[in-house]
Amino acid sequence: MAIELVPYVTRSGFLANEIRITAADVTTGEVIERNLKLTFKEDFRGIWLEGTDEFGDPQAIVILNKFGKFLLNEAIAEQPKSWEDEESWTKNSLSAI
């Protein structure tokens, strides 16, 4: 009898296929709302916005939180002292640019 391995899947984040943006003009106070067909993902590492550009090519914006920055830092081997040491990570990253 063959054994089938099934990956254990847990829901550790939030996922939506459409987002609503509400914006208020700073001068007039006029408020507008827009519904956008974007994939919105949020988990313990940060927020992802995924969609397509005017040519149909996939595009993404990623906003990492402190822990997400720490994981990225580990992946590129520029290790800060701890995941809470965001300030030194940012200064070191910006000086490299």
Side-chain angles (χ1 to χ4, degrees):
M1 177 185 199
I3 298 174
E4 183 178 338
L5 298 177
V6 178
Y8 182 73
V9 179
T10 61
R11 181 169 170 85
S12 61
F14 182 85
L15 175 65
N17 289 324
E18 183 175 293
I19 63 171
R20 177 179 298 193
I21 296 179
T22 303
D25 186 278
V26 294
T27 306
T28 64
E30 178 185 2
V31 176
I32 61 169
E33 287 188 355
R34 300 287 185 261
N35 291 330
L36 304 174
K37 298 283 184 190
L38 293 175
T39 301
F40 174 93
K41 299 177 185 177
E42 183 174 3
D43 68 9
F44 65 96
R45 296 169 291 191
I47 296 173
W48 284 254
L49 296 173
E50 299 175 356
T52 56
D53 63 15
E54 65 271 19
F55 305 110
D57 296 326
Q59 301 294 329
I61 296 173
V62 179
I63 303 164
L64 298 174
N65 59 24
K66 285 183 183 182
F67 188 66
K69 289 178 187 177
F70 174 74
L71 293 175
L72 177 62
N73 206 22
E74 277 194 331
I76 60 175
E78 295 178 14
Q79 298 179 353
K81 297 173 189 155
S82 75
W83 70 271
E84 295 173 328
D85 193 13
E86 176 189 9
E87 186 175 327
S88 68
W89 184 90
T90 304
K91 287 179 184 173
N92 292 339
S93 299
L94 293 176
S95 66
I97 297 173

